[in-house]
Amino acid sequence: MPDALDATPYDALLLLSFGGPEGPDDVVPFLENVTRGRGIPKERLKEVGQHYFLFGGVSPINDQNRALLDALRKDFADHGLDLPVYWGNRNWAPYLTDTLREMVRDGRRRVLVLATSAYASYSGCRQYRENLADAIAALQAEGLEPPKIDKLRHYFNHPGFVEPMTDGVLRSLADLPEELRDGAHIAFTTHSIPTTAADTSGPVEGHGDGGAYVRQHLDVARLIADAVRERTGVDHPWQLVYQSRSGAPHIPWLEPDICDHLEERHAAGVPAVVMAPIGFVSDHMEVLYDLDTEATAKAAELGLPVRRSATVGADPRFAAVVRDLILERARAERGEQVTRCALGTLGASHDLCPVGCCPARAPRPAAAGADSPYA
């Protein structure tokens, strides 16, 4: 038996994710949850939901989260970490509030949260913290005493997150015809967000010109490109590009879009492109549709060979990242010396989101941060 690892003061881990429909009848209600408060008509949501219907109305994200849960539980058991793992979603069952209520009834008092978003941004961090605050308030209104909740730090530059993506790019390059391989361009992709949200991402002192969101992605892209060069001897040109824009046309969002980028690369004579979705933890709908369907169709129209590399998903190395972050945070909470694992130029991210980090669109309470109303 492995020696027991000490996660105290924590007594549970909560996997917190976006959620997705699991059948055709779920699509519109799911999209209503996602867009609640924006006044979008149901007919428009049916149009938006067409890419879900192409896949039978099922988003892969829930099954991917189930696979990650299995990987985490196996890793914890194999390494002697006695920490139960729960799962709650923002927009679909199992809903966050229901899961937090279950944790209270199970007697959990100190909870760590793993969000399925590796980078700093409003939608990737602050909004999850707002969701936690909403769930806490709901339980308090029921007369329940919620646990104290902390959120694990951003893990974009942890070796166990970067290395599986590097391997994915190498596999995609190797899958190209040999005569195209050395000249292939790497398009590192992530979710586009409004430029105002990007500029205010991360701590206040780093706001401006893409904020932490862009800087973090660029650092990961450089790490992967450098590792590819070291392992192949080829210095592949690369660029950070964006996908999955969903906002009004008059609002500036991060660019270039992946499809526009493929057109530009083809016009420049690039022989092939590897699309590397570094902004996503798993191959969920925005990867399957926006890259594997739309961008791949655009490349076929251009006659441009493309490959799409894998996300980390339930890779055992990513499960080990989570274990490492749990133990790191537990040591810090116990007042012990902590060595934080991080690659690149930015260093390890903060444990506690500071005031003004990834500010809300409108003032709302958020848990697990320096500005949290919940001790």
Side-chain angles (χ1 to χ4, degrees), residues 251-373:
I251 298 175
W253 283 51
L254 293 173
E255 296 178 336
D257 176 77
I258 178 61
C259 290
D260 296 336
H261 181 68
L262 293 175
E263 288 186 340
E264 189 272 335
R265 290 293 82 203
H266 177 256
V270 167
V273 173
V274 168
M275 301 181 292
I278 62 172
F280 304 91
V281 171
S282 65
D283 290 2
H284 54 62
M285 185 59 70
E286 287 160 318
V287 176
L288 293 186
Y289 184 78
D290 296 337
L291 293 184
D292 293 356
T293 304
E294 281 195 331
T296 300
K298 170 57 71 174
E301 173 190 316
L302 297 168
L304 176 65
V306 294
R307 298 292 186 272
R308 197 269 291 173
S309 66
T311 53
V312 298
D315 190 294
R317 288 170 290 183
F318 182 47
V321 169
V322 179
R323 169 169 42 87
D324 183 56
L325 294 179
I326 290 168
L327 297 174
E328 170 195 293
R329 186 62 178 272
R331 293 187 191 105
E333 288 295 305
R334 295 196 302 264
E336 299 173 13
Q337 186 173 355
V338 176
T339 300
R340 302 176 187 275
C341 198
L343 299 175
T345 63
L346 299 180
S349 187
H350 47 258
D351 278 342
L352 196 66
C353 291
V355 175
C357 189
C358 305
R361 298 163 187 169
R364 285 184 59 190
D371 58 352
S372 173

Side-chain angles (χ1 to χ4, degrees), residues 16-20 30 34 52 61 65 88-92 116 128:
L16 178 55
S17 193
F18 193 81
F30 162 74
V34 174
Y52 286 100
I61 193 170
N65 281 326
N89 288 325
R90 173 189 293 173
N91 296 302
W92 202 249
T116 54
Y128 282 114

Side-chain angles (χ1 to χ4, degrees), residues 108-119:
R108 309 305 174 192
R109 303 308 310 147
R110 289 293 302 273
V111 173
L112 273 172
V113 171
L114 169 70
T116 54
S117 175
Y119 301 86

